[in-house]
Amino acid sequence: MTTFGLVPGAGGSAWYWSRVVPLLEQRGHTAIAVDLPATDDSAGFDEYADVVAAAIGERDDLVLVGQSMGGFTVPLVCDRIPVARLVLVNAMIPTPGESGGEWWTATGQGPAQRELDRREGRDPDAEFDPAVTFLHDVPADVVATGADENQFQSGTPFEKPWPRPAWPDVPTRVIASRDDRLFPVDFQVRVARERLGITPEIVPGGHLVALSYPAELAAAIQSDRGDDR
């Protein structure tokens, strides 16, 4: 069966995947959720990729899944261990030489989020509230369970340019959540088409879809549907 390597985004907590792992294992797959050194100011995306490769090791039929900021990490892992397929979930998709910090302006994320906020009746100038942006569709008991799992995210990865000369020659799928308030779905569709030539598969849920709609995400991760690059 397939091994799924599950890479989180900012904060680097493997707990993000806690509701998806058992669903993949029930289907006979191996699921490895990786903790990243998010609090380490000496660690950038290369170091994150080293940690992922070490945690997973060389596996047959490895599908590497990157969420949010994990979109910068998972392509680098392909230079370290064999990867059969990449799956991006509400992910930042980098271009060569672009830092994590530059990505926001280069893609137009800010205006896209502001427009969505206006369209849905939220104040685009309101102070950031994770409950509004990230947790709006996550069940309260799940939020409570993960209260101690939130980690500080070092700014180091956002400062260093993405080191790959191009996207790896690995089949890639993109999954976008319909109700993502940080990366609006139409924004994700545009960026994926512009940068990878891929039209994302749309699933229900917000930015933290693995916590809010784990069954739907697990099914999408295992599916062969969607455009491949």
Side-chain angles (χ1 to χ4, degrees), residues 37-44 48 152-157 159-160:
T39 61
D40 184 353
D41 285 334
S42 69
Y48 287 12
F152 167 76
Q153 173 60 57
S154 167
T156 299
E159 299 167 359
K160 297 182 178 180

Side-chain angles (χ1 to χ4, degrees), residues 104-164:
W104 304 86
T105 299
T107 58
Q109 183 277 338
Q113 183 180 358
R114 291 178 63 83
E115 173 57 30
L116 179 67
D117 284 341
R118 282 192 290 266
R119 194 162 67 235
E120 295 187 345
R122 293 182 296 276
D123 179 1
D125 296 311
E127 184 177 350
F128 171 71
D129 183 348
V132 173
T133 304
F134 294 135
L135 303 175
H136 56 96
D137 65 337
V138 180
D141 61 326
V142 176
V143 174
T145 300
D148 296 329
E149 298 294 337
N150 296 324
Q151 298 188 84
F152 167 76
Q153 173 60 57
S154 167
T156 299
F158 294 98
E159 299 167 359
K160 297 182 178 180
W162 192 62
R164 274 199 124 262

Side-chain angles (χ1 to χ4, degrees), residues 15-86:
W15 174 83
Y16 170 73
W17 297 104
S18 60
R19 302 188 76 196
V20 171
V21 167
L23 298 175
L24 296 174
E25 292 178 339
Q26 287 170 14
R27 296 291 299 272
H29 303 297
T30 298
I32 303 171
V34 182
D35 274 311
L36 298 177
T39 61
D40 184 353
D41 285 334
S42 69
F45 289 122
D46 269 321
E47 288 74 23
Y48 287 12
D50 289 341
V51 168
V52 173
I56 296 173
E58 293 196 14
R59 305 267 180 162
D60 292 332
D61 196 22
L62 171 63
V63 176
L64 203 57
V65 185
Q67 185 263 345
S68 195
M69 196 174 79
F72 270 76
T73 300
V74 293
L76 303 181
V77 180
C78 299
D79 298 325
R80 291 158 170 80
I81 56 176
V83 176
R85 183 185 292 265
L86 292 172

Side-chain angles (χ1 to χ4, degrees), residues 9-10 45 66-75 88-95 98-105 107 109 157-158 162 167 174 182-183 187-188 191 195-196 207:
F45 289 122
Q67 185 263 345
S68 195
M69 196 174 79
F72 270 76
T73 300
V74 293
L88 305 178
V89 180
N90 297 329
M92 301 169 73
I93 301 173
T95 57
E98 180 180 72
S99 71
E102 293 168 336
W103 179 91
W104 304 86
T105 299
T107 58
Q109 183 277 338
F158 294 98
W162 192 62
W167 196 260
V174 179
L182 181 67
F183 301 158
F187 162 80
Q188 290 197 57
V191 172
R195 297 195 163 197
L196 296 178
H207 193 66

